[in-house]
Structure formats: C-alpha cells, structure tokens
C-alpha cells in the first residue's frame, strides 16, 4: 500500500495535508516539526518505525537541504521509502492519484507536473471582462 507523508517546519505540512485530503478524500499523514521542544528525530523515527515493510512511503518535505529534509534523507536507504523536496500541492496530488505500484517514470512525472505548476502569472493575458466582474 502507498502512504503519503508530508513533513516540514512549523504548520506547513498540516496545511498542505489538509488541503490534499479535502481535494482527494485520501488520508495524508503529516509531521509538523520544530514547533515546540519535541525532538524531531524521535518524532520521525516513531513514524517511520510504524510503516510496514510492504508499504511504499512517499515523503514530501518543504525545503531541499533544510533540517527536516536532512533528517529524513537517512531513511532513503530503505527500498520502500522515497523522499521528495520542494513540495507543492500539485506534486502531492499527483502522488496521491498515482497507482500504488508506481514506476520510476511515474516518480519523474510527479516532479515534472510539480514544475509545470509553477508559473509567473503576470505574463498571462488577463480577460479584462472577467477582471471587471471581480
């Protein structure tokens, strides 16, 4: 079974997980780290230890090279754990909607869709009729 975990600094992970759940109806786990005195290593270790060896765990973190990403990087030596960084909502939604038996090509597709979702909107033509209604 595929599991999705979002981990990040502060409440980033909770907000993103709640939004993804609202859109897809799929449960998304999250770890909010560095918001109190709890040891992030212990929180992460507890979560990962509860994941079954048959489960495929896709972990999404907020900042590449950030402390959360670094702490989870050590788990990528497990064959069933995949770590993504620079997470955005399209990326998480793509992962949720993919089949459980994702291929390497599917993983690349998640990343490509996330990149395509990043656009500088000022360069798009504005429908001025619609803008007047706003």
């Amino acid at each position: 079974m595929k599991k999705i975990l979002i981990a990040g600094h502060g409440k980033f992970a909770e907000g993103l997980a709640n939004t993804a759940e609202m859109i897809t109806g799929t449960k998304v786990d999250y770890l909010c780290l560095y918001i109190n005195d709890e040891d992030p290593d212990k929180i992460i270790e507890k979560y990962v230890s509860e994941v079954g060896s048959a489960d495929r765990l896709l972990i999404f973190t907020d900042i590449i090279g950030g402390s959360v990403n670094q702490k989870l990087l050590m788990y990528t030596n497990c064959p069933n754990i995949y770590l993504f960084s620079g997470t955005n909502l399209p990326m998480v939604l793509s992962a949720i909607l993919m089949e459980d038996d994702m291929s390497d090509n599917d993983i690349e597709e998640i990343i490509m869709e996330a990149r395509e979702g990043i656009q500088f909107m000022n360069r798009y033509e504005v429908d001025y009729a619609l803008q007047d209604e706003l």
Side-chain angles (χ1 to χ4, degrees):
M1 183 169 87
K2 176 179 63 183
K3 291 184 167 234
I4 306 288
L5 170 66
I6 303 172
H9 299 83
K11 300 275 186 168
F12 168 82
E14 181 179 12
L16 191 56
N18 288 339
T19 302
E21 285 180 11
M22 181 185 74
I23 293 170
T24 65
T26 300
K27 175 154 176 27
V28 177
D29 295 333
Y30 60 88
L31 299 177
C32 296
L33 304 171
Y34 299 105
I35 57 173
N36 54 34
D37 292 336
E38 290 184 70
D39 182 357
D41 291 315
K42 288 182 181 176
I43 295 169
I44 292 168
E45 185 177 324
K46 180 180 184 308
Y47 180 87
V48 172
S49 70
E50 294 172 357
V51 174
S53 60
D55 291 328
R56 178 177 287 200
L57 177 60
L58 281 66
I59 304 172
F60 295 88
T61 64
D62 49 5
I63 303 171
I64 189 168
S67 55
V68 173
N69 187 253
Q70 288 179 30
K71 291 183 179 305
L72 286 157
L73 192 59
M74 65 183 276
Y75 294 97
T76 58
N77 60 355
C78 300
N80 63 326
I81 294 180
Y82 301 84
L83 179 62
F84 299 85
S85 189
T87 301
N88 61 25
L89 183 59
M91 182 181 217
V92 174
L93 295 176
S94 293
I96 291 169
L97 298 173
M98 291 262 173
E99 299 294 325
D100 282 353
D101 59 343
M102 298 181 333
S103 67
D104 288 346
N105 287 339
D106 292 332
I107 290 171
E108 287 299 319
E109 187 176 325
I110 291 170
I111 294 167
M112 287 180 49
E113 287 180 10
R115 287 181 180 147
E116 289 172 5
I118 300 169
Q119 299 291 325
F120 179 56
M121 296 306 296
N122 288 18
R123 292 191 179 153
Y124 287 88
E125 290 187 35
V126 177
D127 181 344
Y128 289 100
L130 178 62
Q131 187 177 15
D132 290 340
E133 293 175 18
L134 300 175

